[in-house]
Amino acid sequence: MEPKISEKVWNPELEKKILKQWEEEKIYDFVPQEDNFTIDTPPPYPSGRPWHIGAAAHYSQIDMIARTARMAGKNVYFPIGIDRNGLPVELYTEKKHKIRMRETDREEFLNLCRNALDDLEAEMILIMKNLGISGDFANYYRTDSEEYRTLTQSTFIDLWKKGQIYLANRPNNYDWVSGTTIADAEIIYEDLPTKLVYMKFKIKDTDQEIIIASTRPELVCACKTIIVNPKDERYTQYIGKKIIVPITNVEVELRTHHSAQQEFGSGAVMVCSYGDQNDVALFRELGLEEIVVIGLDGRMTKAAGEYAGLKPKQARTKIIEDLEINGLVEKIEDIIHRTPVSERSKIPIEIIPMEEYYLKQKESVEKIKKLGQEITFHPTMHKQILMNWLESINIDWPISRRRYYGTEIPIWYCKNCSEPYVPEPGKYYRPWNEKCPISNCTKCNSTEFVGEERTFDTWMDSSISPLFVSKFNVDNEFFNKVYPAAIRPQAKDIVRTWLYYTLLRCEQLTGKKPWSEAWIMGYGLDEKGMKMSKSKGNAIDPLPLIEKLGADTFRFWSASEINHGYDFRCNEQKIESNKKFLSKLWNVSRFLSSFPVIESGTLTASDKWVLSELDNLVKECKKGYDEYNFFIPAIAIREFTWNLFAAHYIEMVKARAYGIGFSDEERDGAIFTLHKTLSTILKLLAPITPFITEHLWKILYSKESIHKQKQVEPENIETQSDITKEITEFNSKVWNEKKSQSLSLKDSIKIEIPKILEPFKKDLKSMHNLVD
RNA sequence: GGGCCGGUAGUCUAGCUGGUUAGGAUACCGCCUCGACACGGCGGUGAUCGUGAGUUCGAAUCUCACUCGGCCCA
């Protein structure tokens, strides 16, 4: 009997052919029906080469969600988008062309950004396609397209009209390198070394002094009060006294406040505008008048006197020098300080009062908490990230950014009276470059307008992805069918941004939650468990790896190595070793391809046994697939296929399948069981390794794609796992025995078969060439 | 300071509703062409399950303390 499959190994080159077939047959096309399964796919951001291997693993798994849902009989809508707004491409463009954004013509700068994005995007799309992502590539969208930005602006206009947006001058997180305000969500904390300076402040009308410790001595110019803890007895006698601030010689009051920590520094703290968020809160609480000492250019302002024009770091050095000259420094300690840093530009932020637009979010927190409770998180533990974040929200969301490559804020201002004009929704506006749609100011009738130059925080765009893909405001019928989405897959580091903002925005705009399930994945780390980054040089480029090994090997690695929700390590050698399993599957199939596929057969004890184990496997896989945890089926399938089916069952029935020494009925029982088992394995594996399973399926079982099949359901056969142990142990015993006697595996041997294995006697005898 | 998660052989990991000779993968070593597969088969080395205490007849598994690592929030 000749096998239908002649090649001895799975050739990843075949993936290209299969990909083409899928494309031609349009097997993943989406036509909305009454019930749909919408995936709110994360649009990846093309920020540079190479694309992150962890992201490639992530998208592979998102595709497994889609395929699992399809095989469960769901009508899957799997949109593909590319996120193209925001700071990273601006920084990339500035570096690439050695230019400064603010010194470049805006239109020209935008074009350079667009070109950079196009290049990077092309490679990402290529990788996604090669990975076998079964998304809707024909209609892939971009968040910087006219349609997308129209929606972003329309939702802004809608919320403006509802009174959810306001303009306010407030101390804000300011990233002076990017020259823009950023939201709390865009701040990360880093432990950075700094100096804690103990300064001497004179107490007025006495010759006494108190010690103030600060990491920001340059802010003495903006010091408005000194606080100590009310329980701190060291300072009781000074409460209410005037203190002379060195350098400026301004008098400030010493008062008590519970936020002063007795253990930190000297226990007395200077409150300046603004060293940190606590200062902001204190200025507000105590009604202090702020002094702006750091300007938008990131340098000291005139208010800093002789230090004006210096960068804060330079001013700090200078001030410390000056204080030392005057004997006003008691000591300086080197400490590690948890410093707020801009997530994008990685520099410590300053807190500077600026006028920005805000979207109300504080009053939505309780509602969002409730929505969060209604959403199923996979894994459950990551819901906590959202809840912790909600607990810490205490200001509204500043949404305006002083950058170019983003969705423009659609507002014009009357040149005469400054009255803002917000246009009608449904159109894409670029106020910095376009005439105001009305000719006269609604308030003063003046005819001259100035367009707003700022753009939105990119999360204003990303946070409406479920609305965009469901054609909100554009096609109501479509919207009603596909919204809310079924699931939001995403990485865990953007729970407080993307996930939270999406909940907020969708709730504000539709009153409904955007999805019923959230699926949260961990980070991809390097082989030592360190974060991968281009600067560290430990980034792995996924593209050559996928081209060399094939998508299925990569995907199987992703499924079998990544326990859902936890961080995972990426190691090329490990990825490569997964090829072995595909090879095993290929050769099992190659063997089976020599036997005809038959509909039924008389089952022997061995057949019934392996089918009961197969049913256990189906149950186990279902458990994993039900919660979109592919680790469970991947491990279980590999274990069953390799260590049970191939190692034991196939060896046991080989002779029977060939019909040597067995009746036709017995032979057919084996052949039937072999094919039933393999076809089940293929279907179970199809969401994880779509290529090889498709190829084998079509050769062996059907012209119709495996990805059009329904997933196998458990038959609830009574388990025989006790027997499994007996069988595998007996086989091991025989193999060991032959080995110790230096016999070849085909040589005959005399070994007693245990009583419990009596029903399997004939198969075992032929397998091991046992003699009585 | 608070929260979440984790610490099982060189590496990754399963087991954690208490009783397993602690399972698998990978790496390593040895032997082997047996009518699918050397990207294979068989066998082997390798884990006092982070540390300490408690509960229990019995703990990797439950409780507490400590410790280390990662992340998040003050």
Side-chain angles (χ1 to χ4, degrees), chain A residues 73-235:
Chain A
K74 290 168 182 157
N75 191 39
V76 173
Y77 178 34
F78 186 6
I80 298 288
I82 304 287
D83 183 13
R84 301 180 27 126
N85 289 310
L87 193 58
V89 73
E90 295 177 324
L91 300 180
Y92 179 86
T93 302
E94 286 185 323
K95 207 170 151 192
K96 187 175 166 193
H97 299 282
K98 298 192 175 63
I99 52 172
R100 302 283 286 273
M101 182 182 85
R102 277 174 231 288
E103 291 159 9
T104 311
D105 174 67
R106 184 157 178 168
E107 194 71 74
E108 193 188 321
F109 187 77
L110 294 182
N111 277 330
L112 291 173
C113 290
R114 212 168 286 125
N115 293 338
L117 287 166
D118 288 350
D119 287 349
L120 296 169
E121 171 187 294
E123 187 185 277
M124 280 187 355
I125 295 274
L126 178 72
I127 294 177
M128 286 204 273
K129 280 190 173 170
N130 284 353
L131 277 172
I133 309 290
S134 58
D136 186 4
F137 286 98
N139 298 305
Y140 89 89
Y141 68 88
R142 295 165 161 177
T143 60
D144 64 348
S145 66
E146 192 172 325
E147 299 76 37
Y148 204 108
R149 286 184 169 175
T150 300
L151 180 64
T152 304
Q153 291 185 337
S154 297
T155 60
F156 169 81
I157 295 164
D158 184 21
L159 295 172
W160 173 278
K161 286 180 175 166
K162 285 182 180 158
Q164 296 284 85
I165 287 164
Y166 61 93
L167 188 64
N169 192 327
R170 283 190 188 156
N172 245 311
N173 308 312
Y174 185 73
D175 173 342
W176 57 269
V177 166
S178 333
T180 186
T181 298
I182 55 174
D184 287 350
E186 296 168 275
I187 289 176
I188 52 174
Y189 287 82
E190 279 183 12
D191 286 319
L192 298 177
T194 187
K195 295 193 186 308
L196 182 62
V197 183
Y198 288 73
M199 296 171 282
K200 299 175 182 167
F201 282 42
K202 288 210 160 54
I203 298 166
K204 198 187 170 190
D205 299 331
T206 71
D207 50 6
Q208 292 170 307
E209 52 194 22
I210 67 164
I211 303 296
I212 309 271
S214 173
T215 56
R216 303 288 311 265
E218 74 275 20
L219 293 180
V220 287
C221 318
C223 174
K224 279 301 223 179
T225 189
I226 308 286
I227 57 164
V228 296
N229 196 288
K231 289 183 205 140
D232 197 337
E233 289 171 5
R234 291 173 292 178
Y235 299 106

Side-chain angles (χ1 to χ4, degrees), chain A residues 401-681:
Chain A
R401 297 288 179 274
R402 292 152 199 267
R403 300 296 304 182
Y404 291 171
Y405 208 92
T407 302
E408 290 84 353
I409 300 179
I411 301 181
W412 279 263
Y413 306 93
C414 172
K415 231 177 190 170
N416 180 44
C417 72
S418 300
E419 176 72 3
Y421 171 74
V422 174
E424 285 306 304
K427 205 177 155 270
Y428 173 43
Y429 300 98
R430 306 171 87 205
W432 60 273
N433 196 27
E434 284 171 13
K435 263 187 70 185
C436 181
I438 53 166
S439 50
N440 297 83
C441 172
T442 50
K443 195 172 161 194
C444 74
N445 216 31
S446 160
T447 55
E448 294 211 53
F449 294 89
V450 190
E452 170 63 62
E453 294 200 339
R454 281 172 291 181
T455 54
F456 287 120
D457 177 357
T458 53
W459 294 114
M460 276 290 278
D461 302 285
S462 326
S463 59
I464 51 169
S465 61
L467 299 179
F468 183 81
V469 301
S470 56
K471 303 189 200 286
F472 178 66
N473 271 358
V474 173
D475 182 342
N476 268 336
E477 199 190 327
F478 189 89
F479 177 75
N480 288 330
K481 282 181 178 167
V482 307
Y483 186 90
I487 195 164
R488 151 65 69 89
Q490 66 161 76
K492 90 178 174 193
D493 52 341
I494 51 175
V495 167
R496 61 181 188 168
T497 49
W498 194 37
L499 190 136
Y500 162 68
Y501 285 140
T502 307
L503 286 175
L504 175 73
R505 299 264 277 135
C506 292
E507 199 284 326
Q508 286 178 337
L509 291 159
T510 70
K512 282 193 235 171
K513 62 184 175 198
W515 359 262
S516 34
E517 297 179 273
W519 182 93
I520 315 289
M521 196 165 159
Y523 315 100
L525 307 170
D526 77 359
E527 51 199 306
K528 294 189 192 78
M530 302 295 285
K531 234 180 175 167
M532 267 189 242
S533 70
K534 280 157 227 162
S535 53
K536 266 190 260 168
N538 61 351
I540 301 176
D541 189 347
L543 187 56
L545 206 60
I546 293 162
E547 283 188 335
K548 185 173 115 200
L549 303 171
D552 273 355
T553 296
F554 183 82
R555 291 172 64 117
F556 193 79
W557 163 76
S558 150
S560 65
E561 195 86 4
I562 303 174
N563 197 353
H564 180 57
Y566 295 93
D567 295 349
F568 53 96
R569 298 185 186 196
C570 306
N571 176 320
E572 287 195 49
Q573 194 191 21
K574 273 217 147 144
I575 296 172
E576 188 160 1
S577 65
N578 281 279
K579 214 173 144 194
K580 286 187 179 182
F581 173 64
L582 298 190
S583 187
K584 191 75 201 175
L585 180 70
W586 177 268
N587 279 297
V588 166
S589 306
R590 181 164 175 259
F591 173 62
L592 291 217
S593 76
S594 13
F595 305 106
V597 177
I598 53 178
E599 293 306 314
S600 63
T602 313
L603 303 183
T604 69
S606 311
D607 305 332
K608 287 180 186 159
W609 159 70
V610 82
L611 289 176
S612 82
E613 281 292 345
L614 179 69
D615 200 47
N616 280 343
L617 173 70
V618 174
K619 276 186 219 152
E620 182 71 7
C621 291
K622 187 176 164 57
K623 222 167 72 189
Y625 282 133
D626 279 350
E627 49 192 50
Y628 306 108
N629 183 353
F630 308 105
F631 186 79
I632 295 172
I635 298 284
I637 294 167
R638 180 177 59 197
E639 172 66 17
F640 174 85
T641 306
W642 207 323
N643 295 337
L644 209 99
F645 185 52
H648 296 278
Y649 180 75
I650 290 184
E651 295 302 331
M652 278 163 78
V653 302
K654 216 175 237 177
R656 181 146 63 93
Y658 282 123
I660 298 164
F662 288 85
S663 72
D664 286 0
E665 285 76 33
E666 286 169 323
R667 181 196 63 198
D668 287 355
I671 295 178
F672 167 80
T673 308
L674 285 168
H675 278 303
K676 174 161 179 174
T677 307
L678 178 62
S679 64
T680 302
I681 290 170

Side-chain angles (χ1 to χ4, degrees), chain A residues 26-40:
Chain A
K26 295 183 190 301
I27 67 165
Y28 309 121
D29 261 19
F30 171 69
V31 179
Q33 293 167 7
E34 281 319 304
D35 251 335
N36 302 289
F37 185 90
T38 304
I39 300 173
D40 182 17

